[in-house]
Amino acid sequence: MPKTNDAALDAFITAKNEIDAMLARLVAHSADHFGYSPVDVNWGPC
């Protein structure tokens, strides 16, 4: 049975929602400086 446009739209919306959730997590981590204090970040030895 061929997929309908509704199925394609549902798959697209599902994927978009997953991407939006990932982006929201990245924004939250970025706002928290990825868990590092900006004053502690330096070019010292790794």
Side-chain angles (χ1 to χ4, degrees):
M1 179 163 105
K3 291 185 177 183
T4 65
N5 285 340
D6 290 342
L9 180 59
D10 288 344
F12 172 80
I13 296 297
T14 298
K16 184 189 177 310
N17 288 337
E18 291 171 359
I19 291 168
D20 288 345
M22 284 187 264
L23 289 171
R25 288 192 301 270
L26 281 171
V27 167
H29 286 300
S30 178
D32 187 38
H33 306 284
F34 296 94
Y36 292 94
S37 170
V39 297
D40 293 334
V41 175
N42 61 57
W43 290 101
C46 296

